[in-house]
Amino acid sequence: LYHIVHQRLTTDNIIDGMEVCTSQGTDITFTVDTNGTVFVNNDSEITTPDIDIRNGVVHSINNVLLPPSALTTTWEYLDQSASHTTFFELLENANFTFLDTDGPFTMFAPTNDAFDRSTIDFNALTVNQTKDLLNYHIISGNHLSYELFKARQKETLLEGMSLEFYARYYKLYIKYGPYQSRVKSKNILTSTGVIHVVDAVLRIPGLPSM
């Protein structure tokens, strides 16, 4: 998705310093040198430009484009995310620092709004309940959204507990017990895995309610 933009963009339309949003949701930046050679994010040269295809234009480049998130670990990304301060506080308190060094892991990261809507009494959780809840949001390996949809079900790091996946109106949903959550933002690549942002805290049985 970081290699796709939703417009027909030929090199004639590209100017030095131009920024364009990708399908992944973050920008790429174009530079044009004095010879007219176009680069993407400074170091990826367009070697074969303007290949016309039926539904767009293809440009061959000499490097794989990595989104900014791929230069950070999952731990660092969540630490820096203003939308995940509550989730990261739980991870930090539970000492889940393996997300900064180990992997790969696929993480389902609830937003602050998801925590605000949750009926779980987080202040009443024991240490083990907190760890179990967090492990329920993690599966081993790198799993992009289409792979989750094809797999239909994946085991989490919480032993004996799995998540189910289905799609509706081109959106990925997670089914966990009688509940469901929508993936709001998918396929955020980090150096230690993949993050999918979800709109609900994935509840496990036996947790205290408010």
Side-chain angles (χ1 to χ4, degrees):
L1 293 177
Y2 192 61
H3 289 70
I4 302 170
V5 298
H6 284 290
Q7 57 181 286
R8 185 180 177 84
L9 190 64
T10 64
T11 50
D12 289 340
N13 306 126
I14 296 173
I15 59 174
D16 189 46
M18 182 177 181
E19 294 183 351
V20 178
C21 187
T22 68
S23 297
Q24 189 260 350
T26 50
D27 291 347
I28 53 175
T29 303
F30 295 97
T31 53
V32 184
D33 68 13
T34 54
N35 296 317
T37 303
V38 180
F39 295 84
V40 187
N41 292 349
N42 293 320
D43 58 358
S44 294
E45 180 185 346
I46 294 181
T47 53
T48 307
D50 305 326
I51 303 169
D52 259 322
I53 58 175
R54 182 170 55 85
N55 59 342
V57 178
V58 174
H59 305 283
S60 292
I61 56 177
N62 63 355
N63 279 311
V64 175
L65 302 178
L66 294 176
S69 62
L71 304 177
T72 65
T73 65
T74 294
W75 180 266
E76 290 169 336
Y77 181 90
L78 293 171
D79 183 22
Q80 297 164 15
S81 172
S83 299
H84 295 94
T85 53
T86 306
F87 187 51
F88 184 75
E89 185 178 353
L90 277 184
L91 291 168
E92 197 169 34
N93 290 341
N95 198 30
F96 268 53
T97 52
F98 65 87
L99 296 170
D100 197 30
T101 55
D102 300 339
F105 297 106
T106 297
M107 166 74 74
F108 302 97
T111 61
N112 293 335
D113 288 341
F115 277 90
D116 290 341
R117 290 191 299 269
S118 177
T119 59
I120 299 171
D121 187 351
F122 295 100
N123 292 323
L125 294 180
T126 66
V127 172
N128 285 337
Q129 284 175 327
T130 300
K131 289 182 177 180
D132 286 349
L133 178 64
L134 293 173
N135 278 325
Y136 193 49
H137 289 73
I138 306 170
I139 58 179
S140 184
N142 285 324
H143 300 283
L144 300 177
S145 56
Y146 78 92
E147 295 173 311
L148 296 172
F149 170 71
K150 288 177 65 177
R152 299 294 185 184
Q153 183 172 310
K154 285 287 183 182
E155 293 290 325
T156 69
L157 294 192
L158 179 57
E159 187 176 357
M161 298 289 286
S162 60
L163 298 170
E164 297 177 19
F165 304 94
Y166 68 97
R168 189 171 66 194
Y169 300 113
Y170 303 103
K171 300 291 185 181
L172 183 67
Y173 286 81
I174 304 169
K175 188 175 185 300
Y176 51 106
Y179 310 105
Q180 69 176 21
S181 174
R182 181 171 65 88
V183 175
K184 296 182 61 178
S185 183
K186 61 190 177 183
N187 304 333
I188 300 170
L189 305 181
T190 73
S191 61
T192 56
V194 182
I195 297 172
H196 302 286
V197 177
V198 293
D199 68 354
V201 179
L202 308 182
R203 185 168 189 143
I204 57 175
L207 297 184
S209 297
M210 291 187 290

